[in-house]
Amino acid sequence: VFKKALTHATLRLSYSLTGDRPPVTNSLPIFTAVVPWRPFTTVQETGYDEQFGNKNLTYEKKHEFNLGFDFGFLDNRINLTADFYWRRNKDLIGYVNHPNLGSYNLANVAAMKSNGVELSLNTQNIRSRDFSWETNFIFSWTHNEITSLFTHARVIDLVQGTGYSLVGYPVNSIFSIPFAGLSSDGLPTFWDADGNRTTSGIYLQERDQDKIGFLKYEGPADPTTTGSFGNVFRYKNWDLNVFITYSFGNKVRLNPVFSNRYDDMDALPKEFRNRWAYSGNEATTDIPAIATRRQNRNDSQLNVAYNSYNYSDARIAKGDFIRMKEISLGYTFPASLISPIGINSLALKLQATNLFLFYADKKLNGQDPEFFNTGGVAAPVPKQFTL
C-alpha cells in the first residue's frame, strides 16, 4: 500500500564545518584620536585613547549536520518535507568586562549546542473542475543550550525581560526572584539566597555566581515552537484564504509597573483593582498594597521590595499565542467579460490582517505576546483591511 501510494521520495544529508569571520574587532590594539576636556575652550590639545587588544581572538566555528526527507503520495496530492539539524558552536564572540582586556571588548566567550526539526505538509484535499481545497501546515521546533560561557552576570541581568544566558540553559533565558506571597501589611516578600523570607533584602547587584542559584528559571525569551496553518478554497472564479499562525514555548516579563511611590502622573494598569486593601487579602491576591508614607519611613529600602516584585515569578506570563493572521476573499473576472475592453486580466481582493487571537495568556490583560518590548509587551498590532 505504501509503495503504491508513494509518488516520490528524496533523502538529503549534509555536514558542514564553517568559521565565520569576526567583524572589525580588537584583535589588535585600537588607537583613536581624542580631544581631552579642558576648563577653557581656548586651551586645546590632541591625545589618543587606547582599546586593549585581544591577540587570542579567533573565528567563530560551527559544526552542523542536516538530515532531510521529501515524500510525495497519491500523485503528489500529499507532500511532506522534514528537516532535522544538529549544531555545535564554539568560540562564539561576545563583549566582556575583564581587567586584561578592558571594558566591553570582544572575546571568544561561549560555546553552545542546538538541534531542531522543521516540518512542512501540503495536501490537496479536494481537486475537481470547479472546486478545490488545499491545506498547508508548517511546524518548527528548536532547542539550544549554552555549554560554556565567560560571564559575571548579576541578579538584575538574569531577571530582565530580554533574557540572559547561563551555562546549562538556553540563550536569552528568563529567571525570576521567588515570590513568597504578601505580608499581613500587603507588602511583597521573597525567598532570598539563604532560604529566608524577606521583604527588602534582595540584592539585585549580586554577581557572585554561588549566590544567584536561588533564582527560579522560567524559560527562554524566544519561542521554541512556531508555525502556521493555512487553507485555500477555490470555487470557479472565487478563492478564499484562511491563514493562522502560532507560537509556543517562551515566557514574557510583564511590565515593571509596581513601585513604593506613585504620583498623579502615573498610569496604573487594571491589576491595581485587585491589590491588597486590608488585612486578610494576602490569602486571595498577590498584588501588593500601595505603600503608605509610614511604611516607606519604617523601611528606607522599600523600593527594593517593589522592584524585586516586578522581577519575581508573580510577574511572568506565557508568550504562547494562536493568531488569525489573515483572511482574504478574491474574485477573478472571466476573460469573456474583460477581453472586449482590452484587459488581459482583472481581479478583486478583500484582505483582513491581524483580526484576533484565538489564544493568549490571560495574565497579559489584552497585551500582544508577539510584539513584546524590553521588559514587557507592546500594544497590539492594529487590524488592517485592504480592498
Side-chain angles (χ1 to χ4, degrees):
V1 174
F2 180 83
K3 290 182 178 179
K4 291 182 179 179
L6 185 65
T7 303
H8 76 271
T10 305
L11 170 65
R12 292 174 279 109
L13 289 171
S14 68
Y15 174 79
S16 63
L17 169 61
T18 59
D20 296 329
R21 185 175 181 178
V24 177
T25 69
N26 52 280
S27 57
L28 297 175
I30 299 175
F31 300 93
T32 55
V34 296
V35 178
W37 180 88
R38 293 295 180 262
F40 303 101
T41 57
T42 56
V43 180
Q44 294 287 329
E45 58 183 335
T46 59
Y48 74 89
D49 185 26
E50 177 185 0
Q51 183 180 2
F52 291 104
N54 178 12
K55 64 180 180 180
N56 295 318
L57 187 66
T58 185
Y59 298 96
E60 293 185 335
K61 301 174 181 65
K62 179 177 69 173
H63 296 252
E64 181 174 1
F65 176 73
N66 290 278
L67 174 64
F69 300 94
D70 294 294
F71 292 106
F73 300 95
L74 301 177
D75 195 22
N76 286 328
R77 292 186 62 173
I78 300 176
N79 289 278
L80 174 65
T81 300
D83 284 281
F84 304 86
Y85 65 87
W86 293 264
R87 296 170 183 161
R88 297 295 183 270
N89 300 73
K90 65 177 183 177
D91 292 328
L92 298 177
I93 296 175
Y95 288 95
V96 297
N97 188 352
H98 193 276
N100 295 333
L101 299 176
S103 297
Y104 303 108
N105 281 16
L106 292 171
N108 301 103
V109 298
M112 65 177 290
K113 61 181 180 179
S114 60
N115 61 285
V117 58
E118 298 176 358
L119 300 175
S120 177
L121 176 64
N122 172 266
T123 62
Q124 298 180 21
N125 308 311
I126 299 177
R127 187 170 59 186
S128 64
R129 178 180 178 181
D130 292 332
F131 179 75
S132 67
W133 172 24
E134 181 180 336
T135 297
N136 291 281
F137 176 73
I138 297 176
F139 172 86
S140 175
W141 175 84
T142 183
H143 172 264
N144 62 74
E145 180 182 329
I146 302 293
T147 55
S148 68
L149 179 66
F150 179 84
T151 181
H152 289 95
R154 303 168 299 170
V155 169
I156 190 63
D157 298 324
L158 298 173
V159 298
Q160 296 288 339
T162 51
Y164 203 85
S165 299
L166 276 185
V167 174
Y169 295 95
V171 176
N172 299 329
S173 293
I174 297 180
F175 296 83
S176 289
I177 298 169
F179 180 61
L182 301 178
S183 69
S184 57
D185 296 323
L187 300 179
T189 65
F190 314 93
W191 299 111
D192 64 13
D194 298 321
N196 300 319
R197 190 182 185 191
T198 180
T199 297
S200 54
I202 301 296
Y203 182 44
L204 296 174
Q205 300 301 321
E206 178 64 68
R207 65 170 67 246
D208 187 341
Q209 301 303 293
D210 294 330
K211 296 183 179 180
I212 63 176
F214 75 101
L215 295 177
K216 176 185 177 183
Y217 171 65
E218 300 288 358
D222 305 313
T224 58
T225 302
T226 58
S228 63
F229 179 65
N231 287 275
V232 180
F233 304 89
R234 294 184 177 89
Y235 176 70
K236 293 185 177 180
N237 290 24
W238 293 90
D239 61 88
L240 174 66
N241 180 26
V242 181
F243 186 63
I244 297 171
T245 59
Y246 62 88
S247 176
F248 297 94
N250 66 308
K251 294 298 178 69
V252 172
R253 170 72 63 195
L254 299 177
N255 290 326
V257 296
F258 290 89
S259 174
N260 62 314
R261 299 177 187 273
Y262 306 98
D263 58 38
D264 291 341
M265 300 302 293
D266 291 321
L268 307 181
K270 65 179 182 180
E271 287 108 315
F272 279 73
R273 295 187 300 184
N274 299 322
R275 69 183 184 275
W276 185 98
Y278 52 85
S279 181
N281 283 164
E282 63 271 13
T284 58
T285 183
D286 60 0
I287 306 298
I290 296 178
T292 64
R293 182 176 298 179
R294 174 177 294 180
Q295 287 173 322
N296 277 288
R297 185 169 58 246
N298 292 339
D299 188 349
S300 61
Q301 299 297 313
L302 202 56
N303 63 313
V304 175
Y306 279 82
N307 203 28
S308 298
Y309 179 77
N310 286 324
Y311 297 110
S312 71
D313 52 357
R315 298 295 294 165
I316 284 289
K318 295 179 181 179
D320 305 345
F321 69 86
I322 303 176
R323 180 188 301 278
M324 175 56 72
K325 187 65 176 179
E326 178 185 321
I327 298 179
S328 64
L329 179 64
Y331 179 76
T332 302
F333 289 87
S336 58
L337 293 180
I338 60 176
S339 57
I341 57 177
I343 297 178
N344 293 327
S345 62
L346 181 64
L348 186 66
K349 183 179 181 180
L350 175 63
Q351 178 176 307
T353 308
N354 298 316
L355 284 180
F356 55 86
L357 287 168
F358 286 106
Y359 167 77
D361 195 338
K362 293 182 179 179
K363 292 184 69 174
L364 294 172
N365 288 315
Q367 298 175 100
D368 198 318
E370 188 176 7
F371 302 94
F372 56 90
N373 289 328
T374 300
V377 292
V381 174
K383 299 179 179 65
Q384 296 181 345
F385 299 90
T386 307
L387 179 62

